[in-house]
Amino acid sequence: MKTSISKWAETDRPREKMIAKGPMALSEAELIAILISSGNREESAVDLAKRILADCNNNLTELSAMELQDLMNYNGIGEAKAVCITAALELGRRRRESEAILHKKITSSKNAYDYIYPNIAELSHEEFWIILLKTNKQIIGKKLIGVGGLNSTVADPKKIFHHIVSEKAAGFILCHNHPSGNIQPSDTDIKLTKEIQTVSKLLHVDLVDHIIACPNAYFSFVDDNLL
């Protein structure tokens, strides 16, 4: 039988617990419970949040991929609550990019991954992007190069170098995602990288890295000595 959160000990209630101990003290279910505020006739907000997480294998990346209507299929989750959950997860995704921008430059493969993460890491199809850099690796911006399907995408070298020249970039980073979750580069990925590296040397532009992004991991050609 459902026990209302208001009947819980004050130290166990998610809001009061956060105020007293800070957000790090809360479980993911408790954080979501704060977002949705209330549950349904059978479940408290925490129990409902636990069920939603269980259906996503307790994986926030899977939860963030859910559509609003998927969330609204849960008894007790209306449009407003679904929007609130989605907005909170989107803010978390964008925080990665903001942290990279705060440093204003790419100093590691992790910086590059965090900067491109909101654009490609959680997509169900492949996209190819480039990050444009100044001489000191300060960020100029990022550009979408091509959109593909589940297993491949189009990366037109002419389009890549057009952006590099037009933005007067001194360096760039290739980025694409693998929706399968396998971060290892394909033979095609390696061949394309070598071809673009050859052209970049002729143009005296620095190919800094090639990042393959997935939701929970990434592959760096530089870190793995492929560049």
Side-chain angles (χ1 to χ4, degrees):
M1 184 176 177
K2 170 188 172 182
T3 301
S4 172
I5 289 178
S6 62
K7 301 288 180 63
W8 294 8
E10 190 166 312
T11 53
D12 291 334
R13 298 175 201 166
R15 286 193 187 120
E16 285 79 359
K17 188 175 179 181
M18 178 182 285
I19 292 169
K21 300 181 179 179
M24 292 295 292
L26 275 66
S27 67
E28 290 170 356
E30 289 172 326
L31 291 169
I32 293 171
I34 289 175
L35 293 173
I36 64 178
S37 183
S38 60
N40 54 49
R41 289 185 177 182
E42 290 76 35
E43 300 168 299
S44 68
V46 173
D47 290 333
L48 177 55
K50 286 179 179 179
R51 184 158 64 89
I52 293 171
L53 281 170
D55 289 345
C56 297
N57 299 307
N58 292 305
N59 187 310
L60 291 178
T61 300
E62 288 189 27
L63 177 59
S64 68
M66 292 182 71
E67 301 289 341
L68 291 176
Q69 190 56 55
D70 295 329
L71 290 168
M72 290 165 61
N73 286 334
Y74 288 91
N75 182 22
I77 303 294
E79 185 177 78
K81 292 181 180 180
V83 166
C84 191
I85 293 171
T86 302
L89 291 166
E90 180 62 22
L91 281 172
R93 185 161 39 221
R94 293 186 188 186
R95 178 184 173 188
R96 291 173 177 262
E97 179 183 15
S98 297
E99 288 174 347
I101 292 173
L102 185 64
H103 295 295
K104 297 182 181 178
K105 62 171 59 179
I106 301 295
T107 58
S108 67
S109 60
K110 180 65 164 53
N111 288 154
Y113 172 64
D114 287 344
Y115 182 58
I116 203 66
Y117 185 101
N119 298 95
I120 62 174
E122 297 180 18
L123 296 177
S124 58
H125 63 275
E126 280 201 14
E127 288 191 2
F128 203 101
W129 289 66
I130 57 171
I131 300 172
L132 299 169
L133 304 170
K134 297 179 182 179
T135 305
N136 57 3
K137 295 185 180 177
Q138 282 189 310
I139 298 168
I140 296 173
K142 50 191 169 184
K143 299 289 184 180
L144 173 64
I145 301 301
V147 178
L150 180 62
N151 299 311
S152 65
T153 189
V154 177
D156 185 353
K158 294 191 294 297
K159 191 171 182 180
I160 291 172
F161 288 102
H162 166 75
H163 286 302
I164 290 169
V165 172
S166 64
E167 296 288 343
K168 297 181 175 60
F172 65 105
I173 299 172
L174 304 173
C175 305
H176 78 284
N177 62 312
H178 281 177
S180 66
N182 178 11
I183 64 171
Q184 294 302 314
S186 66
D187 291 341
T188 301
D189 294 335
I190 295 171
K191 180 182 177 183
L192 174 67
T193 305
K194 295 299 182 184
E195 289 174 350
I196 293 176
Q197 183 182 39
T198 299
V199 178
S200 68
K201 287 179 178 178
L202 292 173
L203 295 176
H204 302 288
V205 180
D206 185 18
L207 173 54
V208 175
D209 205 342
H210 185 168
I211 300 294
I212 298 173
C214 292
N216 300 309
Y218 69 94
F219 182 92
S220 161
F221 275 62
V222 167
D223 292 351
D224 219 65
N225 298 313
L226 291 179
L227 262 181

